[in-house]
Amino acid sequence: LQVGTSTEADVRSRFGEPERVWDEPGGARTFEYNRQPAGAVNYMITIGPDGRMSALRQVLTPAEFAQITPGMTVDEVRRRLGKPMKTMSFALKGETEWDWRWNDGGTRPMIFTAVFGGDGRVLRTASVEEIPQGGR
């Protein structure tokens, strides 16, 4: 796919139906392509008002994680990172955790976690190495 050349039909042919479509200012739309829980990437592909691809971003990166800050809403986080691989609620703590699987660029599988309070706003985030099932 080529920015400025590929069409919405090209994107759909290559990636399929998007998980979600986000409306953008000026008539553009961003297609969310979720590769969780098995994959380690999520793509946001923007289609301009002219029907051509204007951006293709893999959003599960340290630079994107750094933009997730305390006070952000669940919708803002979902908009930046896409659907998480899993969510867990902890009623006694009044917290919910969203996890995304990603790769640090080497051989280490990682998990990025955003922790939300009862008000649906980020309390804190963390990124840790994923421990394989059954331990090391």
Side-chain angles (χ1 to χ4, degrees), residues 17-132:
E17 285 300 309
E19 172 83 21
R20 187 164 183 180
V21 177
W22 302 88
D23 291 328
E24 303 290 354
R29 293 171 298 140
T30 297
F31 293 179
E32 176 186 323
Y33 286 99
N34 183 316
R35 300 300 186 237
Q36 302 285 301
V41 296
N42 278 352
Y43 293 103
M44 296 290 183
I45 301 176
T46 303
I47 306 296
D50 63 354
R52 300 206 178 274
M53 185 177 78
S54 60
L56 187 155
R57 298 178 302 121
Q58 195 293 98
V59 295
L60 300 183
T61 67
E64 288 292 331
F65 300 148
Q67 301 300 313
I68 308 303
T69 57
M72 289 180 78
T73 67
V74 292
D75 288 339
E76 290 170 322
V77 173
R78 171 69 190 267
R79 179 72 176 84
R80 279 198 178 271
L81 302 180
K83 185 178 177 180
M85 76 165 176
K86 74 176 179 179
T87 62
M88 295 178 292
S89 293
F90 300 94
L92 293 178
K93 291 172 71 174
E95 296 178 353
T96 300
E97 293 183 1
W98 287 12
D99 291 342
W100 290 264
R101 178 175 281 123
W102 67 286
N103 189 294
D104 70 352
T107 59
R108 294 185 322 156
M110 305 288 288
I111 301 290
F112 176 78
T113 302
V115 180
F116 299 93
D119 62 355
R121 294 189 176 273
V122 173
L123 296 173
R124 63 190 173 279
T125 64
S127 201
V128 298
E129 187 171 356
E130 183 177 11
I131 304 299

